[in-house]
Amino acid sequence: MEISGIISAIVIGIVIGVLGRLVIPGRQRIGVLWTILVGIVAALLGSAIAAGLDVADTDGVDWVEWLIQIGLAALGVAALDRTKARR
């Protein structure tokens, strides 16, 4: 992976993580770095799922892929929040 690919993964991860965090109501007890990591993982997994469903490469904006990624990020943020709440 090239440096531009790593930088774009981080930027997309930030966006996806923040959007996933906004979907969850209330205050989350996870930090910014966890949000970014969840976003990066959700972006990668969401891209793979969208490719498997054959909706990753469409004309224009890939709305289905974005929704999958944001949904996965929301699940990840909620799971981490619940894990942090138990401690």
Side-chain angles (χ1 to χ4, degrees):
M1 182 178 259
E2 295 181 15
I3 207 72
S4 63
I6 294 171
I7 292 171
S8 65
I10 291 170
V11 170
I12 292 170
I14 291 169
V15 171
I16 295 294
V18 168
L19 290 174
R21 197 170 176 155
L22 288 174
V23 170
I24 304 295
R27 184 177 185 277
Q28 293 85 33
R29 292 172 289 275
I30 64 171
V32 174
L33 291 178
W34 280 112
T35 302
I36 293 170
L37 289 174
V38 166
I40 291 170
V41 170
L44 294 173
L45 284 175
S47 293
I49 291 171
L53 296 174
D54 201 29
V55 294
D57 294 322
T58 60
D59 294 333
V61 179
D62 297 327
W63 293 109
V64 175
E65 184 176 7
W66 274 88
L67 290 174
I68 293 170
Q69 292 171 337
I70 293 168
L72 288 173
L75 287 174
V77 167
L80 270 176
D81 184 45
R82 289 181 187 237
T83 303
K84 295 271 185 181
R86 290 184 184 162
R87 290 184 182 179

